[in-house]
Amino acid sequence: MHLYKATLTHTSFFPISSSEIIQLLHSISRAMASSAVMWTWFCLDYLTHEEIHLYTYDLFAERLGLKLIWGCLGVYPFIYPFSLHCLVQKIDTVDDLSAQSTVAILALFLFGWFLTRGANNQKFAFKVDPKKKDFLFCGILVKQLSIEVRSNIGIKKKNDDDDELRPRGQQYQGPPPRKILVSGWWGLARHLNYMGEIVQGLAMSLPSFLVTKSPVSFVYFAFITALLLPRQKEDNILCRKKYGTEVWDEYTRLVPSKVVPFIY
């Protein structure tokens, strides 16, 4: 029985015996192992928290159409394995990551995951239960502070019950108020989850690049960076129209950073 390996640059197939497969499993490189672990975590984490993505830009702005379906079925599955393909081509090389480099890359990946998952989970918790005042993630407790948009009252920073902050005798009439988070992950930057995804993309590309020196290793990192940085600009335009210039200017004053806290 034989398994076959295909390369990116050749159309021919190379037979590998089952005994060689067992030997390879026992001698798997740190670069390959760390890459496989990070990509597996990345995909399983997304599927585990699938319901959270009902409240993300993809669905509320772009809707469920050809772009999203084609992206999930025809683009992402082919972009994800690029860095692993580069490592497969160098499977016989003696080069590998040091233990220190492996730990550093995994720590970088977890840092990116912490930013993305924390931000997405906080927003999800706020959307499904806006009256809850606290949010807990990985042992970190933050207050759920927000500003509200009301058609006949204007902007209000919310921390307590509405009645305590509403002028005496004033009754609110109109649609339910819209709220924008300004604390926790969403107080550090308007799109801290984008920064987390970009950091994860970098971490998942590094093992392959450091071993193979192939720029192809950065295909996903380049793709996700090129996707998310322009998207935050589009989101800024949409939200300014949605909430109004006065409210959005106040929000950007409270949260000045776009993606990277204190830098951008």
Side-chain angles (χ1 to χ4, degrees):
M1 176 180 179
H2 291 86
L3 296 177
Y4 292 90
K5 176 180 68 175
T7 68
L8 289 175
T9 56
H10 302 293
T11 56
S12 58
F13 292 88
F14 300 89
I16 303 178
S17 66
S18 56
S19 61
E20 289 175 319
I21 290 292
I22 295 174
Q23 183 180 359
L24 287 173
L25 290 175
H26 282 290
S27 61
I28 186 170
S29 67
R30 294 191 185 98
M32 179 64 77
S34 58
S35 292
V37 166
M38 287 187 289
W39 279 111
T40 301
W41 178 307
F42 182 79
C43 294
L44 289 179
D45 178 70
Y46 186 94
L47 295 174
T48 302
H49 300 92
E50 192 174 25
E51 74 282 358
I52 289 176
H53 297 279
L54 295 174
Y55 294 88
T56 59
Y57 180 94
D58 293 332
L59 287 182
F60 80 78
E62 297 181 340
R63 306 297 181 183
L64 183 62
L66 178 62
K67 180 180 178 181
L68 186 58
I69 294 174
W70 171 247
C72 291
L73 298 180
V75 177
Y76 286 111
F78 295 95
I79 290 179
Y80 287 172
F82 264 89
S83 59
L84 292 171
H85 273 300
C86 294
L87 285 172
V88 167
Q89 292 186 83
K90 296 288 185 178
I91 202 166
D92 295 325
T93 184
V94 295
D95 296 330
D96 196 6
L97 295 177
S98 65
Q100 294 86 344
S101 297
T102 303
V103 171
I105 290 171
L106 290 175
L108 181 66
F109 173 81
L110 289 175
F111 173 66
W113 171 83
F114 173 80
L115 297 180
T116 299
R117 182 51 54 209
N120 287 338
N121 282 20
Q122 184 188 5
K123 182 169 70 172
F124 177 74
F126 183 70
K127 292 288 187 179
V128 299
D129 189 4
K131 294 184 179 180
K132 192 173 182 180
K133 298 181 180 181
D134 300 316
F135 170 73
L136 179 66
F137 182 73
C138 289
I140 297 178
L141 184 68
V142 297
K143 294 288 185 181
Q144 294 282 63
L145 305 181
S146 64
I147 58 174
E148 289 188 349
V149 188
R150 289 183 170 180
S151 57
N152 62 346
I153 294 180
I155 307 171
K156 181 177 70 175
K157 189 168 182 178
K158 179 170 179 171
N159 189 6
D160 298 306
D161 294 336
D162 294 346
D163 294 338
E164 296 178 8
L165 293 177
R166 188 181 301 157
R168 181 176 297 177
Q170 185 175 10
Q171 299 295 325
Y172 172 71
Q173 294 179 350
R178 293 170 172 172
K179 303 173 184 179
I180 310 175
L181 269 173
V182 293
S183 64
W185 281 256
W186 297 94
L188 293 174
R190 292 174 236 162
H191 294 286
L192 194 65
N193 54 333
Y194 289 0
M195 175 184 170
E197 287 198 49
I198 292 172
V199 169
Q200 282 182 289
L202 175 62
M204 290 186 291
S205 302
L206 283 175
S208 174
F209 177 75
L210 293 176
V211 171
T212 68
K213 304 299 186 292
S214 172
V216 176
S217 304
F218 288 111
V219 165
Y220 176 73
F221 171 68
F223 168 79
I224 201 66
T225 302
L227 175 70
L228 295 182
L229 291 185
R231 176 180 286 186
Q232 63 85 19
K233 296 181 180 180
E234 297 172 4
D235 185 59
N236 184 70
I237 296 172
L238 289 174
C239 288
R240 186 174 292 276
K241 292 179 180 179
K242 177 180 178 180
Y243 297 108
T245 300
E246 180 187 2
V247 174
W248 197 248
D249 286 344
E250 173 66 9
Y251 170 65
T252 55
R253 184 188 67 81
L254 293 172
V255 187
S257 299
K258 299 175 182 177
V259 178
V260 184
F262 313 111
I263 297 177
Y264 174 70

